[in-house]
Amino acid sequence: MTTLVVRRLLQVPLVVASVLVITFALIWLIPGNPMEQEGRRPPPEIERAMAAQYQLDSPAAFLGAYAARVSGVGWVLGWNDRPFDLGPSMRHPDWTVNEIIAAGFPVSATIGLGAILIALVIGTLAGLVGGLRPGSWADGATQSVALVGISLPSFVVGSLALVLVCAKWRLLPVAGWGSPSHAILPMIVLSLPFAAYISRLLRFGLAEQMTTDHLRTARAKGLSRSQAAWRHALKNALLPVLSYIGPATAAAMTGSFVVEKVFAVPGLGRHFVEGVLGKDITLVMGIVLVYATMLVVLNLVVDVLYAWVDPRIDLAGGATTTG
Amino acid sequence: MRWFALAALLVGVALAIVTCERSAPRAEVTFSSADVFTLDAQRMSYMQDLRVARAILEGLCTVDPDTNEPRPGVASSWEVAPDGRTWTFHLRDDARWTTGEPVTSDDFRQSWRRLLLPDTAADYSALLFGIRGAEEFFAWRTNALAARSAQGQTDWESARALWDESLDRFDSLVGLRAPDPKTLVVELEAPTPYWADLCAFPTLSPIHQPTLKRFERLDPVSGRMGYEPGWTKPGTLVTNGPLRLVSWQYKRGMRLERNPTYHTPHAVECESVSILPIEDANTAVLAYESGALDWVSDLTADFRADLAAAARKWLDRHRVAYDALIARGLGVDAALAALPAPEPSLGERNDVHALSAFGTDFWSFNCRPNLSDGSVNPFADKRVRRAFALAVDKVALTTQVTRLSEPVATTLVPRGSIPGYESPTGLTHDVERARRELASAGWIDRDKDGLVENELGEPFPVVDMLYMTGNPRVKNIAIALAAMWRDALGVPCELRGKDGKFAKEDLRQGNFMVARGGWYGDYADPTTFLDLSKTGNGNNDRAFSNQEFDSLLDQAAAELDPSARMALLTRAERLLVEDEMPILPLCQYVTLYMYDPSKIHGLSRHPRLSQPLWRLHRVGADPVESSP
């Protein structure tokens, strides 16, 4: 297991570097230049000066200098003042990408993790209700709500929540960031689709487990329905949920763009989308670096957890032993 | 379960740490605006940046927010030599930086040099090209840097040597001198009557040189002088305007407060302003409704036309009283505040204000002889362009399509926006004449199928209409124009919506027949709009080129008599909007504000919309509350 983790960790820089090169190629293809404004362009000589300033006149030179600066090689060689410097944002030259990420990542991470926790609580409860008594009215009700939760886009739920909770009832502040009360509504809105999905995963997993032979044996030995479910079915039924949690956490932490925009939360997702629209190459590459690293690491964590929950899974060998 | 509880606890703690910030008391005025890009005055180009710069920095001149006439700023007075080329500015003795140091003429000289250096890559470098030798210096430094790179030099010494040489070159080439700390002499290439107005433009503001020096970093590889980010942050940034920067967080907000070292404290009516970058248009409205915002500085919500209609309804009901108040000499806001409150049951409101802006919404005709696919361009013929312009019912566009009742435009320079300039008439809606113009160009419906053909019987090519997606207003106008042209002229039209950057590329390549455009003026002179149609201008997407027009602009540039100069410019614009028609002006832009005139005072209604933030203040008994 340790060898596996070490090997997988060693792959991280490789994966991330490949993702960065692909990102760079894609964003380079967007026409225009990050410094120009909507609707007007400066005289051609100034446009050339702008391009030269950020080495936008030569992709190879740009990528080379970027790799040296970000990897720390440039620092070792004495070209750069600092290692791991993602450079200034091209559209917001007063800020370094490091500063923007340092400020935005905790915000997105807080909302994302909070949303996943809320989703786990709501999703598990709803899944248990349905899974223990499949076909009951409670099952029908929770699964219908879950279906709505999956189907409704965040901007609809978010806007509705804003109108009712913030503007009409004035329970929470409308927009911004600065106190826990600002975070509550974005977290809840972001959690809903995840909660719905978790409840459906658990409900079907549990319902299936309840019909297995070992469960029937457990019931025959005198355990009540809920005791049997709690001791023998739940752990297996949670497996799909567990494998979903990894990507879901990553998605919640990186994909909260819509929620961040609706609630004016200064998170990374919003910065990322605006970076792409404005062709802010350094900002987009910096955020992709964070996202890619996070995805790879989270997937590794899930794999390890998986092996821990289900000993039949042998990560190192890749073969599955029966047990 | 234990794990879950632990995770929940951790997230709770993280939440408290991340979200809890030291909360300052609520500012006197809080408003939403697009996020500020930079506080580096020389590199600014966005409206919201320029607005903040006007509040925290002061140039040689300022402009009166209500009349837009140049007024003394750091310069208490100035003289213009009889040839109109040499301007001598005298700086006031009590102009100080926030550090207490005096603002000197050399601060201006060095800041303008920085604006001019290609190293800075400033959008507005060209504003200074009017100074003798400035353009030459820009080109010299650009070429010198390119030559150094071509030689493969990447050492620090050669970069430094070139930099020192460039500074010497600037002193010898460029007509900008600071003979003493309180005098700045500017020599211009040509008489420029609006030079004082340019001196009020925020990119020409002074920068505190000792601060900048600490962040300057010469790049040995490119040879360029760059600056580490960080000198514009609160605590480091040194300014000289009526307000000073207190806090600024990326996409979280900015706070400005009264600057105690400002030379005229009684002119500052505002204790503090807070700027919140709320990008979602609906959220901004909700934040205003909930009381978190005092002013929405750019109301772009899709339902804004309805909000504006509700405000018009209210004002129409009190029109007589309002006109009487204005006749008594009250300002617009004071008059609005004195009217009876709106009746919500009637669907009225009094807090939405449509202000005409210093910009024109137009469509461009491609004037190139051939289209990008090589085919003959029907719009190369000015009769066709005039026909298309005459066929547009602009009143219907602004009342039924955009529903914002923007002032209809027949000229490019917004009518009445520049003192002393008489706008030409332009072309108005006239379908009969439009058909005659098209027929005179050979396009007639010969086979009576409702579509026009040329004498060879070939149908009019499908009109390729390029527009930028993302703004419903633009799309709706495009749809309406297509319908008007089809119905009035019998030409087939096809809409082609593209994302901004891609559409811009098509514009640059001339890959369109007609395309959506628009322009905001930078300074109070017709040339800020007319230069757009000059041969070879970088923003002349239409590739329009007319000798007579260019020569009229050149004559105007050399003309010393202001009224004769304006007359020449009027002739130039008449040529543009009555005869040649490379641009089809639709309407003047309108910016929608949301604020309660009985609570907030100090906003200007001048089309330049360069709002004086230092004048904003709260009125009435409404106490300033604390934010949570």
Side-chain angles (χ1 to χ4, degrees), chain A residues 31 33 37 40-42 45-46 52-53 91 94 99 103 110 121 170 174 177-180 262 270 274, chain B residues 4 19 37-39 45-46 119 122 129 224 232-233 251-252 279 283 289-290 501 504 520 522 538-539 541:
Chain A
N33 115 30
Q37 213 197 110
R40 72 165 72 232
R41 58 179 85 90
E45 64 268 30
I46 291 165
Q53 194 197 29
R91 273 169 74 75
D94 298 18
E99 281 174 323
T110 307
V121 175
R170 310 233 171 158
V174 171
W177 194 252
S179 73
V262 169
R270 208 175 119 196
E274 280 157 21
Chain B
F4 189 78
T19 55
F37 281 86
T38 179
L39 287 182
S45 60
Y46 285 86
D119 311 42
F129 283 1
R224 293 167 177 276
T232 55
K233 301 285 167 61
K251 302 234 167 162
R252 291 192 195 192
E279 269 136 29
T283 308
E289 300 275 8
S290 78
K501 293 237 179 227
K504 243 178 138 174
Y520 281 94
D522 289 325
N539 286 293
D541 298 323

Side-chain angles (χ1 to χ4, degrees), chain A residues 30-43 45-47 49-50 52-54 81-82 88 91-96 99-100 103 106-107 110 113-114 117 120-121 162-163 166-167 170 174-175 177-180 183 187 261-262 264 266 270-271 274 277-279 283, chain B residues 3-4 7-8 11 15 18-21 35-40 43 45-46 118-126 129 135 138 217 224 228-230 232-233 248-252 277-280 283 286-287 289-290 500-502 504-505 507-508 518-520 522 538-539 541:
Chain A
I30 302 176
N33 115 30
M35 279 79 71
E36 74 192 355
Q37 213 197 110
E38 196 69 26
R40 72 165 72 232
R41 58 179 85 90
E45 64 268 30
I46 291 165
E47 227 172 11
M50 285 179 165
Q53 194 197 29
Y54 287 116
D81 305 336
R82 291 179 297 273
R91 273 169 74 75
H92 298 262
D94 298 18
W95 302 92
T96 65
E99 281 174 323
I100 293 175
V107 173
T110 307
L113 286 178
L117 276 185
L120 268 176
V121 175
L162 264 183
V163 171
C166 306
R170 310 233 171 158
V174 171
W177 194 252
S179 73
M187 274 183 183
K261 186 163 186 277
V262 169
R270 208 175 119 196
H271 304 343
E274 280 157 21
L277 293 177
K279 201 180 174 178
L283 180 60
Chain B
W3 287 103
F4 189 78
V11 169
L15 177 70
V18 171
T19 55
C20 275
E21 287 161 8
D35 195 32
V36 167
F37 281 86
T38 179
L39 287 182
D40 179 342
R43 296 192 58 176
S45 60
Y46 285 86
D119 311 42
T120 313
D123 212 337
Y124 278 112
S125 293
F129 283 1
E135 196 166 359
F138 183 93
R217 193 178 46 81
R224 293 167 177 276
E228 293 279 336
T232 55
K233 301 285 167 61
W248 182 26
Q249 288 179 295
Y250 181 75
K251 302 234 167 162
R252 291 192 195 192
I278 301 180
E279 269 136 29
D280 190 270
T283 308
L286 289 174
E289 300 275 8
S290 78
K501 293 237 179 227
F502 291 89
K504 243 178 138 174
E505 197 57 25
L507 279 174
R508 190 193 297 256
W519 192 256
Y520 281 94
D522 289 325
N539 286 293
D541 298 323

Side-chain angles (χ1 to χ4, degrees), chain B residues 43-325:
Chain B
R43 296 192 58 176
M44 288 182 176
S45 60
Y46 285 86
M47 178 127 176
Q48 64 270 28
D49 299 22
L50 299 170
R51 179 181 286 158
V52 170
R54 285 192 181 93
I56 62 173
L57 291 165
E58 186 172 73
L60 287 174
C61 308
T62 60
V63 286
D64 185 298
D66 296 315
T67 63
N68 216 52
E69 308 253 335
R71 295 264 179 272
V74 171
S76 53
S77 64
W78 55 86
E79 298 115 37
V80 190
D83 65 356
R85 291 189 173 138
T86 307
W87 290 60
T88 308
F89 292 90
H90 304 287
L91 275 60
R92 51 191 304 156
D93 292 323
D94 54 357
R96 307 221 165 265
W97 294 104
T98 42
T99 53
E101 299 156 85
V103 180
T104 66
S105 50
D106 202 50
D107 289 328
F108 280 96
R109 195 183 65 92
Q110 296 200 41
S111 303
W112 291 15
R113 182 178 69 200
R114 185 165 173 267
L115 175 60
L116 200 50
L117 277 162
D119 311 42
T120 313
D123 212 337
Y124 278 112
S125 293
L127 280 187
L128 289 185
F129 283 1
I131 300 179
R132 178 178 59 76
E135 196 166 359
E136 196 186 334
F137 171 72
F138 183 93
W140 178 84
R141 170 85 178 157
T142 306
N143 295 337
L145 285 170
R148 183 177 170 276
S149 290
Q151 287 162 16
Q153 291 178 322
T154 56
D155 61 301
W156 198 84
E157 285 74 23
S158 70
R160 188 84 227 173
L162 181 58
W163 173 249
D164 290 338
E165 192 191 344
S166 302
L167 298 190
D168 290 343
R169 190 56 76 121
F170 178 84
D171 292 341
S172 61
L173 269 183
V174 182
L176 186 62
R177 287 180 293 120
D180 67 66
K182 293 291 163 195
T183 311
L184 188 76
V185 182
V186 188
E187 293 166 48
L188 303 176
E189 294 273 6
T192 311
Y194 52 93
W195 186 256
D197 189 81
L198 279 184
C199 286
F201 199 72
T203 57
L204 272 68
S205 303
I207 297 292
H208 186 247
Q209 295 301 317
T211 305
L212 202 58
K213 283 271 180 310
R214 287 197 282 130
F215 288 85
E216 130 186 321
R217 193 178 46 81
L218 194 60
D219 176 27
V221 180
S222 67
R224 293 167 177 276
M225 180 58 84
Y227 299 87
E228 293 279 336
W231 66 272
T232 55
K233 301 285 167 61
T236 309
L237 185 67
V238 175
T239 56
N240 71 329
L243 301 179
R244 67 192 175 96
L245 178 69
V246 176
S247 73
W248 182 26
Q249 288 179 295
Y250 181 75
K251 302 234 167 162
R252 291 192 195 192
M254 181 183 278
R255 186 182 173 98
L256 311 176
E257 286 178 8
R258 171 189 285 273
N259 173 9
T261 65
Y262 186 61
H263 53 72
T264 319
H266 60 81
V268 184
E269 295 176 79
C270 170
E271 288 307 319
S272 55
V273 282
S274 172
I275 308 169
L276 294 183
I278 301 180
E279 269 136 29
D280 190 270
N282 298 338
T283 308
V285 174
L286 289 174
Y288 172 85
E289 300 275 8
S290 78
L293 291 178
D294 300 310
W295 167 35
V296 178
S297 74
D298 191 6
L299 178 58
T300 52
D302 290 344
F303 50 91
R304 65 188 188 145
D306 300 313
L307 293 178
R312 270 200 304 275
K313 195 171 175 189
W314 171 70
L315 190 57
D316 285 345
R317 198 157 64 88
H318 301 290
R319 182 62 68 180
V320 179
Y322 173 79
D323 289 344
L325 289 167

Side-chain angles (χ1 to χ4, degrees), chain A residues 37-294:
Chain A
Q37 213 197 110
E38 196 69 26
R40 72 165 72 232
R41 58 179 85 90
E45 64 268 30
I46 291 165
E47 227 172 11
R48 279 194 292 275
M50 285 179 165
Q53 194 197 29
Y54 287 116
Q55 291 166 310
L56 292 181
D57 37 7
S58 154
F62 179 92
L63 203 58
Y66 187 84
R69 197 152 38 89
V70 173
S71 64
V73 171
W75 178 63
V76 172
L77 295 177
W79 297 345
N80 307 119
D81 305 336
R82 291 179 297 273
F84 318 121
D85 179 6
L86 298 166
S89 154
M90 285 187 180
R91 273 169 74 75
H92 298 262
D94 298 18
W95 302 92
T96 65
V97 174
N98 294 53
E99 281 174 323
I100 293 175
I101 291 177
F105 182 72
V107 173
S108 291
T110 307
I111 292 193
L113 286 178
I116 286 296
L117 276 185
I118 295 173
L120 268 176
V121 175
I122 303 178
T124 313
L125 288 177
L128 280 176
V129 168
L132 286 179
R133 299 242 181 276
S136 65
W137 68 266
D139 177 35
T142 49
Q143 291 314 304
S144 315
V145 173
L147 193 68
V148 174
I150 292 175
S151 320
L152 270 186
S154 303
F155 70 88
V156 173
V157 184
S159 306
L160 203 66
L162 264 183
V163 171
L164 290 179
V165 180
C166 306
K168 198 161 175 163
W169 302 328
R170 310 233 171 158
L171 296 176
L172 292 167
V174 171
W177 194 252
S179 73
S181 59
H182 282 114
I184 296 172
L185 215 49
M187 274 183 183
I188 294 177
V189 170
L190 184 60
S191 77
L192 294 180
F194 296 110
Y197 202 82
I198 290 173
S199 88
R200 288 178 72 82
L201 278 178
L202 188 64
R203 184 244 174 239
F204 289 107
L206 202 57
E208 192 193 319
Q209 284 293 322
M210 294 304 281
T211 60
T212 53
D213 291 344
H214 71 278
L215 249 286
R216 220 171 297 142
T217 318
R219 292 292 305 275
K221 285 164 92 178
L223 287 181
S224 74
R225 196 178 169 80
S226 49
Q227 277 174 327
W230 185 250
R231 289 196 197 158
H232 300 287
L234 193 58
K235 208 170 161 186
N236 284 340
L238 273 174
L239 268 182
V241 176
L242 198 62
S243 60
Y244 171 68
I245 285 295
T249 309
M253 284 164 72
T254 59
S256 48
F257 159 67
V258 173
V259 171
E260 286 174 9
K261 186 163 186 277
V262 169
F263 292 95
V265 170
L268 223 47
R270 208 175 119 196
H271 304 343
F272 182 64
V273 173
E274 280 157 21
V276 172
L277 293 177
K279 201 180 174 178
D280 191 335
I281 302 179
T282 42
L283 180 60
V284 171
M285 303 240 320
I287 298 179
V288 165
L289 179 85
V290 172
Y291 281 178
T293 313
M294 205 167 73

